[in-house]
Amino acid sequence: MKLTVVGCSGSFPSAESACSSYLVEADGFRLLLDMGNGALGELQRHCGLYDLDAIFLSHLHPDHCIDMLGYFVARYYRHDGGRCAPVPVYGPEGTEHRLTTAYADTPSASSMSEVFDFRTVKPSTFEIGPFTVHTDLVRHPVEAYGVRLEHGGRTLVYSGDTGVTPVLDELAQGADLFLCEAAFTYGKENIPDLHLNGREAGETATRAAVRRMVLTHIAPWTDPEANLRDAREAYAGPVELAAPGAVYEI
């Protein structure tokens, strides 16, 4: 598997990065995890607009899905080559309604589904292209999923947005690469069931015995170096900060 960080800022784009979006490739198949603010522009540095094979939305907060509206325009109104065939979009229940409501002026109530093949995610195991996918509910104010991707004996786990939960420990167990959110600062924010801080991300990685961790979804008001330091105090394995354009071979 090949992971490319398209965007990694939390809550809203920073001066350096779009919001959450991660391109995962294997056997010529391109799966995009999330498409937050600014991600559609950055995606075009790494992948053609019409080359995605599937999209997975971990939850429906704007910093994880709002650029799907621009992507709808690109697919629905494409004249060169005709309208795109529907691409599978995996997301929580109500994804189509949420995106249609956010756009507010689609030609019809079903226009989104003319270019997006919406598929409802539940805690389960299923296939997306060459990937075996395990999903489970994590701790966030809205329905939100962590996801485990397996291919060729290798494992990538993406936490999505979550507070501390045994579900994430289990989902990440033994992962080759753990892409874990660390939005909060240890000792500063203490809001349960919302986000992890660097120390909590490190503790999760230790409990799950992951082989490598990348911290992501760090908001512009959070000091990433402090979160990296806190994570390293709790986790002895290799850990680094996500950066736009970073590529990982898994």
Side-chain angles (χ1 to χ4, degrees):
M1 288 184 285
K2 176 184 173 183
L3 167 67
T4 302
V5 177
V6 177
C8 54
S9 185
S11 299
F12 58 93
S14 70
E16 293 79 28
S17 179
C19 283
S20 291
S21 190
Y22 313 94
L23 180 64
V24 186
E25 301 172 77
D27 296 346
F29 190 96
R30 295 180 176 92
L31 169 64
L32 191 70
L33 304 177
D34 286 342
M35 194 184 286
N37 317 41
L40 184 59
E42 289 298 314
L43 177 65
Q44 294 171 70
R45 298 181 186 271
H46 311 288
C47 176
L49 270 177
Y50 309 110
D51 293 335
L52 290 178
D53 296 293
I55 300 166
F56 180 96
L57 301 177
S58 64
H59 65 291
L60 299 179
H61 278 155
D63 58 325
H64 292 259
C65 74
I66 201 64
D67 268 28
M68 289 291 291
L69 305 188
Y71 196 43
F72 164 76
V73 172
R75 297 185 69 87
Y76 190 89
Y77 294 104
R78 186 182 73 162
H79 296 291
D80 184 12
R83 184 175 297 167
C84 297
V87 63
V89 175
Y90 298 81
E93 188 169 355
T95 295
E96 179 179 7
H97 176 73
R98 178 61 178 271
L99 295 180
T100 301
T101 302
Y103 194 93
D105 191 29
T106 53
S108 75
S110 61
S111 293
M112 285 276 177
S113 62
E114 293 181 41
V115 292
F116 297 140
D117 177 11
F118 291 101
R119 305 182 184 189
T120 300
V121 172
K122 294 294 182 185
S124 61
T125 297
F126 53 98
E127 306 295 321
I128 300 179
F131 304 105
T132 298
V133 181
H134 306 273
T135 56
D136 212 339
L137 286 165
V138 290
R139 297 282 183 87
H140 205 51
V142 299
E143 183 180 354
Y145 289 89
V147 59
R148 179 184 180 99
L149 302 178
E150 298 175 352
H151 173 73
R154 300 285 183 164
T155 302
L156 164 66
V157 174
Y158 171 44
S159 67
D161 281 9
T162 182
V164 176
T165 171
V167 169
L168 185 59
D169 297 358
E170 183 175 347
L171 203 62
Q173 193 66 41
D176 293 289
L177 192 149
F178 182 31
L179 183 62
C180 185
E181 77 117 282
F184 283 165
T185 302
Y186 176 66
K188 180 182 177 184
E189 297 105 340
N190 184 24
I191 306 171
D193 299 338
L194 184 57
H195 290 297
L196 300 172
N197 58 49
R199 178 179 290 270
E200 291 167 337
E203 290 170 345
T204 299
T206 296
R207 290 192 298 268
V210 305
R211 292 177 173 85
R212 184 181 189 182
M213 179 166 66
V214 176
L215 300 179
T216 193
H217 197 273
I218 298 177
W221 56 64
T222 297
D223 179 358
E225 293 300 328
N227 282 21
L228 181 61
R229 182 187 64 244
D230 290 341
R232 285 175 171 164
E233 289 179 357
Y235 171 62
V239 55
E240 61 192 270
L241 297 169
V247 175
Y248 301 91
E249 298 288 344
I250 305 166

